[in-house]
Amino acid sequence: MQVELRRGLPRVAGGQPWPPAGTVEIEDAPAAAAAPTAPPATETVATPLRRGLPRVPGGEPWPPAGTVHVAAPAAAPADTPEATAPVENDVDTVEVPLRQGLPRVVGGQPWPPAGTVRVVAPPAAERAPEAAPEAAVSEPAPAPEPSPVPAPAQVAAEEEPEGVGKRWLPWALGALLLLAAAVIGSRWYVGTASGAEFIARYDGLQPLPDNAPVGLPAWLNWAHFFNMFLMALIVKTGLDVRREKRPAAYWQPKKGGKKISVTLWLHQVLDIAWVALGAVFFVLLFTTGQWMRIVPTSWEVFPNAVSAGLQYLSLDWPDENGWVYYNALQELSYFVTVFVAAPLAIASGVRMSGMWPSSWKAVPVSWARAVHFPTMIYFVAFVAIHVFLVLATGARGNLNAMFAAREDATSWLGVVLFLIALAVTALGWWAARASVVAPLANATGKVSKR
């Protein structure tokens, strides 16, 4: 007879339910010689159906709620020799392993538990048509409890600290202890004769060429603002991409292609804008001679950088005059940020994006993942220290130089421009969400919820 196949979950993501829709041919029970008297009808018991996962998102569990008649072993007639034997010995059964499905709870074990069940083999004698059961299943045979093996998700959940505080508190305490030890050690060394001699020989100032430009031009102020704005949003969207589980919307090119989340689309658009800004910055940096302020031109920059670091840690800070020169430690920090960290962030980001050709496998994507996130951590640490020193070493003078392109320690213009830039950045941070970005993304592609 023809029986319709029961379909389960897809074998691959986005695939069709398995097995394919169809029917299978099952042989009818073989007929036997007619007995002198009609055999009694097989007794059945009603058993509730086991319900599984929905076939479609948001649907009802499948199969629908209901019952199925399960055959009960029939007793042999009293006048037959077989009546003297136990009923269960007359039923021919086979042992079948249970099919395990998905866990019932997050991080739980597959359900049902691993084990076997005994299934009644088809009887040789012909059954009464009106009493033929849909399935003949006996009670499961007792089996030893399998040793519980925790699922990977459950192990990760048990090992992960509860809350952000527990995860970062040990690191924060360790950093504070290390900083305190560095301050105490630096103050001790600077107070010794050799430390004082080292500071006197290397004062920490930046060795500059004679033709180095003086002052900060207006284009550098504008580049500084746009860099501040874009980097804040790049860090924000990058963190959102790492932690979002179910994106609110997806973006796809108009001509078709791989779908990505709207958050990732915004992150990549900001990356492209940041790279364009960097290209303009590099051109102006080298055509105006401003490169001499952040590129070391003498080996003496290294001992001077050590001296500047000791002076910072000893809380006796070196002289500041950012309008004319940086100290050696600032010069090296800007050089690493502009010429090392920024290219690493761009290269690793391109390798992880869809712009990288799939046939170019010389650079593994694992390298890009191992570099991209630590580079972002470096930028965050650099910005935090940079802002702290700007505010702690003469805020009005530094902000006037960085945002108003003027050497003035008394004007409030730089402070006002900085607050405006901060407000614009905060507004962009708030607007970097799917509900606001989706209309913009839709203008360059197709936005959908799936």
Side-chain angles (χ1 to χ4, degrees):
M1 59 180 178
Q2 297 285 334
V3 178
E4 186 176 355
L5 281 173
R6 174 172 175 257
R7 306 181 74 190
L9 296 174
R11 291 294 179 90
V12 296
Q16 296 295 322
W18 182 265
T23 58
V24 293
E25 183 75 25
I26 298 181
E27 296 183 0
D28 296 333
T37 58
T42 305
E43 296 181 3
T44 61
V45 292
T47 302
L49 279 173
R50 172 175 171 257
R51 307 182 73 190
L53 296 174
R55 288 297 179 88
V56 295
E60 295 293 327
W62 182 265
T67 58
V68 62
H69 286 277
V70 180
D79 56 347
T80 59
E82 292 80 6
T84 58
V87 174
E88 56 268 22
N89 292 339
D90 294 340
V91 182
D92 190 10
T93 61
V94 292
E95 189 171 298
V96 178
L98 281 172
R99 174 171 173 256
Q100 291 188 279
L102 297 174
R104 290 294 177 91
V105 296
V106 178
Q109 298 293 319
W111 182 265
T116 58
V117 63
R118 285 195 168 274
V119 180
V120 178
E126 183 180 1
R127 298 180 180 180
E130 65 274 9
E134 295 179 25
V137 181
S138 65
E139 292 295 327
E145 283 292 329
S147 57
V149 179
Q154 182 179 0
V155 173
E158 293 175 355
E159 294 178 353
E160 185 178 359
E162 297 180 2
V164 178
K166 289 186 178 180
R167 185 162 52 230
W168 292 103
L169 184 59
W171 291 96
L173 291 177
L176 287 176
L177 291 175
L178 186 62
L179 180 61
V183 170
I184 295 173
S186 298
R187 290 184 66 85
W188 169 82
Y189 177 72
V190 171
T192 62
S194 59
E197 182 182 352
F198 179 79
I199 298 297
R201 182 177 180 182
Y202 300 103
D203 54 9
L205 299 182
Q206 172 192 22
L208 279 174
D210 295 335
N211 61 337
V214 176
L216 302 180
W219 68 262
L220 193 57
N221 294 165
W222 284 102
H224 188 272
F225 160 70
F226 284 117
N227 186 64
M228 163 186 165
F229 177 80
L230 291 174
M231 284 193 64
L233 298 190
I234 287 172
V235 170
K236 194 250 187 217
T237 54
L239 292 175
D240 289 344
V241 168
R242 284 180 63 88
R243 63 179 175 226
E244 71 177 353
K245 302 300 181 184
R246 294 182 179 179
Y250 292 87
W251 177 87
Q252 185 180 29
K254 290 182 178 180
K255 296 182 179 180
K258 183 180 178 181
K259 286 186 177 182
I260 59 175
S261 70
V262 169
T263 307
L264 181 56
W265 174 85
L266 177 60
H267 183 73
Q268 293 183 354
V269 169
L270 292 169
D271 287 340
I272 294 173
W274 190 62
V275 171
L277 174 65
V280 175
F281 175 81
F282 268 72
V283 171
L284 294 175
L285 188 72
F286 285 98
T287 56
T288 60
Q290 288 289 331
W291 65 269
M292 287 181 273
R293 293 170 60 91
I294 63 172
V295 176
T297 56
S298 170
W299 289 107
E300 289 189 356
V301 67
F302 295 104
N304 276 289
V306 173
S307 174
L310 287 172
Q311 294 177 64
Y312 278 122
L313 289 174
S314 65
L315 306 182
D316 184 14
W317 291 0
D319 295 333
E320 296 288 339
N321 190 2
W323 183 259
V324 180
Y325 59 83
Y326 299 129
N327 64 53
L329 186 58
Q330 287 176 312
E331 180 183 26
L332 289 181
S333 300
Y334 292 140
F335 176 81
V336 171
T337 301
V338 174
F339 296 100
V340 179
L344 281 177
I346 295 171
S348 57
V350 172
R351 178 60 184 91
M352 293 167 59
S353 72
M355 295 181 288
W356 185 269
S358 57
S359 58
W360 295 4
K361 298 181 179 180
V363 180
V365 70
S366 57
W367 168 86
R369 293 194 182 100
V371 169
H372 201 67
F373 185 71
T375 305
M376 186 207 72
I377 297 297
Y378 168 81
F379 275 114
V380 172
F382 172 82
V383 170
I385 298 173
H386 176 67
V387 172
F388 171 74
L389 291 177
V390 166
L391 299 178
T393 58
R396 280 196 288 177
N398 290 331
L399 292 176
N400 276 323
M402 296 164 59
F403 286 90
R406 60 172 60 185
E407 185 184 12
D408 188 352
T410 60
S411 174
W412 290 93
L413 179 60
V415 176
V416 173
L417 293 176
F418 169 70
L419 293 177
I420 294 175
L422 202 61
V424 172
T425 304
L427 181 62
W429 184 287
W430 172 85
R433 58 184 65 191
S435 59
V436 178
V437 176
L440 299 176
N442 195 48
T444 62
K446 180 181 178 183
V447 175
S448 61
K449 291 187 177 181
R450 294 185 179 278

